[in-house]
Amino acid sequence: VQLQASGGGLVQPGGSLRLSCAATGNIFSINNMAWYRQAPGLQREWVASMTSGGATNYADSVKGRFTISRDNAKNTVHLQMNSLKPEDTAVYYCSAYIQRTDSTYLWYWGQGTQVTVSS
């Protein structure tokens, strides 16, 4: 099983970016999918998550600006980021709690995608 994240880049303050993450491999089902981020010199922090049933949760710092969504048929999760601020600059990681075809459950992580918010 692999998670592949994409969509990062450089954007001006107030701009928008959309991150995507696709899970591939021996997947039976995916429970929670989430986004985390890690800024230089800081610990990785949780940003947003979504259950397979569609329930969402957001960190206070991004609530109202970021929207998580997923396409269960394609095993993908997205993060729409609007009204970006310089403090959103970080490497963004997707993660997923996956039931494999051998019935084991594991947390998987993507490789990270850089988001830089700067004028």
Side-chain angles (χ1 to χ4, degrees):
V1 176
Q2 290 186 329
L3 298 184
Q4 181 70 42
S6 61
L10 173 64
V11 63
Q12 292 187 341
S16 298
L17 279 176
R18 186 174 188 252
L19 306 182
S20 297
C21 177
T24 60
N26 296 327
I27 298 169
F28 180 77
S29 66
I30 302 178
N31 292 354
N32 279 15
M33 302 188 83
W35 289 94
Y36 289 74
R37 66 186 181 187
Q38 187 167 18
L42 298 179
Q43 289 187 334
R44 189 173 299 186
E45 64 173 356
W46 167 77
V47 174
S49 58
M50 190 170 188
T51 68
S52 57
T56 58
N57 280 289
Y58 298 92
D60 287 344
S61 59
V62 306
K63 200 171 293 184
R65 300 188 297 121
F66 291 10
T67 302
I68 189 171
S69 62
R70 57 190 283 180
D71 183 336
N72 290 330
K74 296 182 179 179
N75 291 336
T76 59
V77 63
H78 306 285
L79 186 67
Q80 177 67 42
M81 304 184 294
N82 298 329
S83 302
L84 283 161
K85 306 175 181 179
E87 52 263 43
D88 294 318
T89 295
V91 177
Y92 284 70
Y93 299 89
C94 59
S95 70
Y97 191 52
I98 294 174
Q99 182 184 15
R100 305 190 313 185
T101 53
D102 63 1
S103 297
T104 58
Y105 285 87
L106 286 171
W107 275 103
Y108 287 89
W109 290 86
Q111 84 284 8
T113 184
Q114 177 70 47
V115 171
T116 302
V117 185
S118 175
S119 55

